[in-house]
Amino acid sequence: MNESKMQTAILPVDVQNIGTVRAIPCKDDLLDSLCLEFDADNPDVANILLAADQLKHSDVPVAFPTETVYGLGADATRSAAVKGIYKAKQRPADNPLIVHFASLKQLRALLRPDYVPQGAMQKTSGVAQSNGAHSNEDEDPIPSIYHPLISRFWPGPLTIILPNPLNSPLAPEVTAGLNTFGARMPRHLLALALIQRAGVPVAAPSANASTKPSPTAAEHVAYDLDGRIETIIDGGPCDVGVESTVVDGMSTPPLVLRPGGISIEQLRACPGWEDTRIGYKNSSEEGSKPKAPGMKYRHYSPKAKVVLYEAGTQPPSGQTLGTTYAMYALHPPGEDTSSSRRVGVIATKRWVMDYSSGAPTLSDQPTTAQTNGAHPDHGALGFAGMLETLHNAPTPKGVLKSHQLHSGDSATRLLEMTLGPSTVSIARGIFAALRELDREGVDVIFVEGIDENEGETAAAVMNRLRKAAEIKIAS
Ligand code: TXA
Ligand code: MG
């Protein structure tokens, strides 16, 4: 099919409507298997079944919600399907994908070399490396270093790096030539239902076009991938808002390869993980070699230039907005932009946005959030956390305010958003805010950073903002 002619359908699914769900934990309180008795008369169920069928049989990937960000999924055992992901996203082929599972049973089956998933093509050669496979049926094929992490954090925003077994059923495109792969069990019931129904492990990167901010709502996916995919399952806004923490427990000491919702302190509290180190580039390690291949690419970038202010820096004055705009908006020399300047400002914890009546200021205390609707912050992890997410109110959106600023004879349209003040709300809203300001046609976005030493969610937010930003302003 000609990709430019593809029709993209957004299929709403209310997780409360799909039927009766019984998650059966195994002895460690892990999600051993998921029993779904689908309610056959509900149209939402038809949408899940359609998407599951496409996952299993089509080479065009399907977008679906997870608790972190929307994923773009394909059957991880079929090369043609996995290639469809790279094609739709225009993603570089050396950036490997995370494989999503609906149960430990499914992961263990993949790690066993004699495993052939239902409906998968028989392979003549595997990607075949490494020491991960066990032929002893009694031995758990999941390396023991990961057991305490899985029992605490799955299903949830944690990706573990595993050795790819000999004769692995994974398509080679999933691992991009590495002898390892990333595995995760998402905490979103629609994601679990879809994977379980498809009956195959699902390779899924974030469902944005390559280099763009990750999508935290179905409309973000549609904006980037309209005409490139057929189906987006719309399960509402994502709960966490930044991608999973990626950890490598096969290296000594264990490493965090990408910061996310699970903190290094939480990891260090687990047996065998006491000495966990940071294996990604943070502000003090510019120039070191990234260990998660995807971390070297330009990422999370809206069309506008992003100017990132370190936490505790004074907000830009109206005049600074104008002069910085002139420096960075990169309009052709001589073009008169005095009547069409548009800039965006994203305030998080301490910027007080007083552009219309006076100068903006830096508050001593965290500011009060200006968001639409409330969303409880739930700290519950794993299995309990997943069931809790079913009862949450919708995720709040930052409120977009617009003013006209005048300086000399030029005017600048200022679009401001306030997220926070809680780090959890900032994480949930940051990608959506960058996207919304982009849609408003701003040329430059000024962002108030947060203190990355505060915790892992803050570190994850700053890690993504540093990658999005072209210009960083130190305090
Ligand atoms: O929350 C998430 O993880 C989301 C949702 C959809 O599950 N997925 C996601 O996937 O963020 P993606 O493809 O955008 O990011 C995958 C990250 C990249 O940084 C990649 O380099 C790293 O995981 N990764 C994947 N396989 C790896 C491996 N074998 N070794 C090291 N890093 C790996
Ligand atoms: Mg991504």
Side-chain angles (χ1 to χ4, degrees):
M1 185 187 298
N2 181 342
E3 67 172 301
S4 62
K5 296 218 179 98
M6 235 178 251
Q7 288 285 320
T8 305
I10 301 183
L11 308 179
V13 180
D14 181 343
V15 84
Q16 313 265 11
N17 282 347
I18 61 175
T20 315
V21 181
R22 279 185 301 127
I24 302 179
C26 57
K27 62 177 175 2
D28 307 322
D29 196 27
L30 304 181
L31 187 59
D32 197 35
S33 61
L34 191 66
C35 281
L36 283 164
E37 283 149 30
F38 286 110
D39 175 357
D41 299 331
N42 197 296
D44 290 15
V45 170
N47 288 342
I48 287 279
L49 299 185
L50 174 75
D53 191 63
Q54 288 174 342
L55 263 183
K56 197 163 169 191
H57 300 293
S58 166
D59 296 340
V60 179
V62 171
F64 62 95
T66 80
E67 80 283 24
T68 57
V69 300
Y70 272 69
L72 186 64
D75 177 352
T77 66
R78 289 191 296 118
S79 283
V82 178
K83 282 183 184 152
I85 296 177
Y86 287 93
K87 184 170 165 201
K89 278 189 64 123
Q90 300 185 310
R91 177 179 173 110
D94 65 342
N95 190 2
L97 306 174
I98 293 172
V99 186
H100 297 66
F101 296 87
S103 68
L104 288 185
K105 210 185 264 176
Q106 193 184 26
L107 172 59
R108 289 186 174 118
L110 183 139
L111 291 170
R112 291 223 165 92
D114 53 357
Y115 171 68
V116 179
Q118 223 188 341
M121 291 188 305
Q122 194 75 44
K123 286 220 209 51
T124 46
S125 68
V127 264
Q129 302 100 10
S130 106
N131 49 8
H134 282 276
S135 50
N136 181 350
E137 289 275 313
D138 297 333
E139 206 170 321
D140 190 339
I142 302 173
S144 58
I145 181 80
Y146 288 121
H147 291 190
L149 261 50
I150 289 173
S151 76
R152 284 200 60 191
F153 306 122
W154 274 15
L158 179 76
T159 296
I160 62 175
I161 301 298
L162 290 162
N164 198 22
L166 282 170
N167 302 316
S168 171
L170 291 178
E173 291 78 9
V174 170
T175 56
L178 297 175
N179 58 9
T180 54
F181 72 101
R184 140 166 157 79
M185 195 193 296
R187 197 181 58 195
H188 199 298
L189 203 49
L190 291 185
L192 292 170
L194 192 62
I195 300 164
Q196 194 233 36
R197 183 71 198 191
V200 289
V202 172
S206 48
N208 51 287
S210 195
T211 81
K212 294 293 164 208
S214 296
T216 53
E219 72 202 59
H220 302 161
V221 181
Y223 187 83
D224 281 12
L225 301 182
D226 188 43
R228 303 184 143 269
I229 59 175
E230 287 174 335
T231 302
I232 302 170
I233 292 289
D234 181 356
C238 298
D239 187 42
V240 178
V242 288
E243 304 86 341
S244 60
T245 301
V246 181
V247 295
D248 183 359
M250 308 315 294
S251 70
T252 314
L255 295 173
V256 178
L257 301 185
R258 179 175 73 178
I262 307 290
S263 77
I264 198 161
E265 284 72 31
Q266 285 173 302
L267 295 167
R268 284 178 181 152
C270 297
W273 291 79
E274 296 82 355
D275 192 26
T276 303
R277 308 273 172 89
I278 290 177
Y280 60 89
K281 238 176 24 172
N282 61 18
S283 55
S284 57
E285 291 172 351
E286 295 292 334
S288 59
K289 190 168 176 283
K291 302 215 170 49
M295 298 307 273
K296 71 174 185 256
Y297 292 105
R298 184 180 155 80
H299 250 121
Y300 315 117
S301 306
K303 271 185 262 148
K305 294 224 174 321
V306 175
V307 183
L308 174 62
Y309 283 65
E310 292 295 334
T313 311
Q314 290 288 338
S317 64
Q319 198 185 0
T320 305
L321 294 182
T323 49
T324 315
Y325 172 88
M327 280 166 70
Y328 297 123
L330 292 184
H331 284 276
E335 186 189 334
D336 179 11
T337 59
S338 54
S339 60
S340 59
R341 295 176 165 191
R342 287 171 89 80
V343 302
V345 179
I346 299 175
T348 56
K349 294 198 177 219
R350 290 173 53 202
W351 283 3
V352 180
M353 309 293 277
D354 208 1
Y355 286 101
S356 49
S357 54
T361 52
L362 181 71
S363 154
D364 292 342
Q365 300 295 322
T367 52
T368 313
Q370 297 175 0
T371 50
N372 289 324
H375 190 303
D377 292 350
H378 52 83
L381 295 164
F383 188 54
M386 178 185 74
L387 297 178
E388 218 176 293
T389 54
L390 298 183
H391 305 290
N392 278 331
T395 303
K397 276 180 93 175
V399 176
L400 187 67
K401 286 193 191 157
S402 167
H403 332 272
Q404 194 77 1
L405 297 179
H406 296 276
S407 150
D409 54 3
S410 72
T412 304
R413 167 69 48 192
L414 169 68
L415 294 125
E416 61 172 61
M417 289 189 99
T418 302
L419 304 175
S422 91
T423 306
V424 170
S425 324
I426 295 165
R428 280 188 190 125
I430 191 68
F431 285 138
L434 292 172
R435 283 177 171 273
E436 193 156 344
L437 290 171
D438 237 4
R439 274 207 296 264
E440 293 289 334
V442 304
D443 287 303
V444 186
I445 302 173
F446 299 81
V447 185
E448 178 193 359
I450 57 177
D451 180 1
E452 63 208 325
N453 299 314
E454 175 206 297
E456 202 70 359
T457 305
V461 168
M462 285 305 281
N463 171 270
R464 308 310 191 265
L465 283 173
R466 286 189 203 294
K467 292 183 151 288
E470 249 120 334
I471 304 120
K472 288 141 197 161
I473 312 275
S475 57

